[in-house]
Amino acid sequence: MSRPVDLSMSSVKNHSPLNPGGSGGFTPVFEASPAASPAGSRRPSFSQPVARRPSESASASRRPSMNQYYSSSQQISQPQQALSRRSSMASGPRPIRRGEYSGPATPSVLSRAGSPTLPLGNEFTQAPRSYFEGAAGYTPLGGVRELRNGQFIGSLDCGTTSTRFIIFDKRAKIVAEHQTEFEQILPHAGWHEHDPEALVEAMNECIIRAVEKLEWMGWSRNSLKGIGITNQRETTVCWSRSTGKPLANAIVWDDARTVGVVREMEKKLDEIGIRIESAEEDARTADTAVTEEAVLGTGGEDAAFGNKGEVVDQAAGVTGSIGKAMEGLGIGGGKDEKEPVVKGTKYRKGKEGLVDVTGIPMSTYFSAIKLRWMIDHQKAVRTAHETDDLMFGTVDTWLVYNLTGGKQGGLHIMDVTNASRTLLISLKTLQWHHPLLEFFGLRASILPKIVSSSEHYGNIHESTNLPIAGVPIAGIIGDQQAALVGNKCLRKGEAKCTYGTGAFVLFNTGEEIVRSNYGLISTVAFQPGPDAKPVYALEGSIAVAGSAIKWLRDQMDLIEDSSEMDILAGSVHDTGGVYFVTAFSGLLAPYWDREASGTIIGITAYTTSAHIARATLESVCFQTRAVLDVIEKESESKLSTLKVDGGVTNSDLAMQLQANLGGFNVARPSMRESTALGSALLAASALGLFGWDLSKPETLSEVNTAGVHTFEPELAEKSRLKRVKGWNRAVSRASKWHEEDSDDEDEEEYEKSMGFERINN
């Protein structure tokens, strides 16, 4: 017997699944469904009252001025004359304290989703099943009812802390979704791992629950015509070919345990270098079997490394650890390390040679370094590599393998965007590069086949027992490249920034590989089909963005909830001369300083928590500007508009600061699930769905166009340059702070104390 449900206005306000507790700025509204429910359908009519957030424009028009929360003596206004930054009033009134704010609720800047994105009628899709039970029109999935057929595209988005499955319609409106967090394994300081099987479990749960919600909405599961996949990049997974089971926990992209491996490889680059493939070897590779060519590629174009670095003849062969690795791969000339491996072979010394081939530097960030550490330190991985039982991949590879059958013939593939983050492919050929496999001592047999970002790879296998078995998988792309596509930055010269745990700027360079002289990464943006030319991008990664706000909340206790950030930081006019270099684990692009330290500088007796909060937001903006300054210099073009997404974009203040300090417009859409949308666009394009075609951006003119908010600069250029100069001084103070601590012997002692000594033959 179903229980009655009170759908009065007060009931909706207090019990809406989007508004637990009856707070948070939601307003109950009445609105009739534009289309009547089909005959015989038990789907509830949406003429009933439902809880719905007011639109962004409406809430903005009703939002009172911040001045109303201060007494007349505290009204925010510009001082009549210039005041010393040491004055207590130099940056505005006393900061607002907890409990003093009684205005409208503000969104969390740590939320991935951003502002509410669902159209009216989809509010119920995010509610737990217990909320539906007993409601008018609710039928358990086992019940008999009529379901409509439609056309939708799904996106599986496996991030660093959670997985979600989102179902979009042809205008990129969210029809149904489900999100599940998974465990973060932090065994030691600087280490970050995931259980690969937990990733699969989270994926399965999200798909099952999202399809349940789709059917509750009255749509058949057959309405889902395909899915795309986007994933956290660089995270490295190793599993057994014979069992299909993981051999160890995955090492996550931000894990810093491999500093010692990086130093070892940098030394090897300086002393030995990377082999330059000869014309004879190019000809031999071209004649190899199709299977080998698909895995290894020809690499013929990579003999031209550019003008940097030293090219040497290695007539005496290769000795030492790299010689052992080559010998183990069947490339060397015998057990005697002094015996020549390949006479007359040329090697390119120095770090520049690696960057010229791969587009990326030697860093703890990338997959080959993590894989080398796993082989050296984890016995199960080492044994599997030696016995040819090892399968390697990034998260996309692992999920596709499981979706398509696992050890029962599951696909072992990796798309070009994820492959471009491994340190193992050539950006020119988009194939695995022989000399890099030799350099890192890796077998070719462990590698997945490289595929484009948009094609029909295969179907979801029936052995998964998922409700969408048989549905095509047609799009795969790394998360930051997915956000570039989802923001429709498909033309050369367009750029996006995703502000999440970190921040990632990508700038579309078209079909041209732009080599950076200022520390940016050249990477593959996407390849819209197996026969299409790849699109490239320049990327700058900022290690700390939303995580700095989390640090203020969890470690410093400056705020109780991330939604308080705008209130606190907005209660002062400026930072009072305070700069916060958020180098918690060094600085990434364009500084690439792993010894930099987190630094708050410019503190005086008058500095308050509000100044530090505002300096935290500005830190993200300054680093984003630094990346874009380099991009403008490299590309010789001026950026007019930066498209943005991610949790930090919920902060109006942060986005206005970005426009002010950057000197460009910042465009923020109302639906900010750009990462998931990117993989959905690629999948739909491959399947010919909705008429979407990534090679023709005009076909996406109606996709996610509603509610775009543009922030324009409000700071004079002279003031902007003065602030940037101050930031650069602060970075110089934080730079190389930990340099004296980076000792190889200390690293070895640490590994011994943790029981992770290198495995010896």
Side-chain angles (χ1 to χ4, degrees), residues 256-325:
R257 77 184 69 183
T258 55
V259 171
V261 179
V262 170
R263 294 196 188 106
E264 179 183 338
M265 293 299 172
E266 287 176 341
K267 183 178 180 181
K268 191 180 293 185
L269 276 175
D270 292 335
E271 294 179 354
I272 299 174
I274 301 172
R275 178 173 60 82
I276 298 176
E277 291 188 316
S278 64
E280 179 181 352
E281 185 173 358
D282 291 342
R284 177 185 62 78
T285 306
D287 293 334
T288 56
V290 174
T291 54
E292 183 180 353
E293 183 178 354
V295 173
L296 292 175
T298 61
E301 295 182 58
D302 293 311
F305 280 91
N307 299 320
K308 296 181 180 180
E310 179 187 0
V311 178
V312 295
D313 282 312
Q314 195 77 7
V318 181
T319 62
S321 58
I322 192 170
K324 288 182 179 179

Side-chain angles (χ1 to χ4, degrees), residues 23-26 53 59 63 69 101-108 563 567:
S23 61
F26 293 92
R53 292 182 192 259
S59 63
R63 184 175 293 122
Y69 305 115
Y101 180 74
S102 59
T106 56
S108 167
S563 62
I567 302 167

Side-chain angles (χ1 to χ4, degrees), residues 177-226:
E177 67 173 322
H178 189 83
Q179 179 176 359
T180 298
E181 294 187 350
F182 45 80
E183 182 184 7
Q184 305 301 305
I185 303 171
L186 308 169
H188 308 296
W191 293 31
H192 191 182
E193 300 176 355
H194 287 156
D195 177 356
E197 292 189 325
L199 300 182
V200 174
E201 291 170 3
M203 170 186 71
N204 292 342
E205 180 181 347
C206 287
I207 291 174
I208 291 169
R209 299 306 177 201
V211 172
E212 283 183 357
K213 294 171 184 178
L214 180 70
E215 292 190 329
W216 187 89
M217 293 294 297
W219 297 103
S220 165
R221 65 184 62 181
N222 295 328
S223 300
L224 191 64
K225 302 304 181 182

Side-chain angles (χ1 to χ4, degrees), residues 406-422:
K407 68 175 183 178
Q408 302 177 34
L411 296 175
H412 189 207
I413 59 176
M414 181 186 294
D415 101 290
V416 289
T417 64
N418 283 288
S420 72
R421 317 293 294 189
T422 61

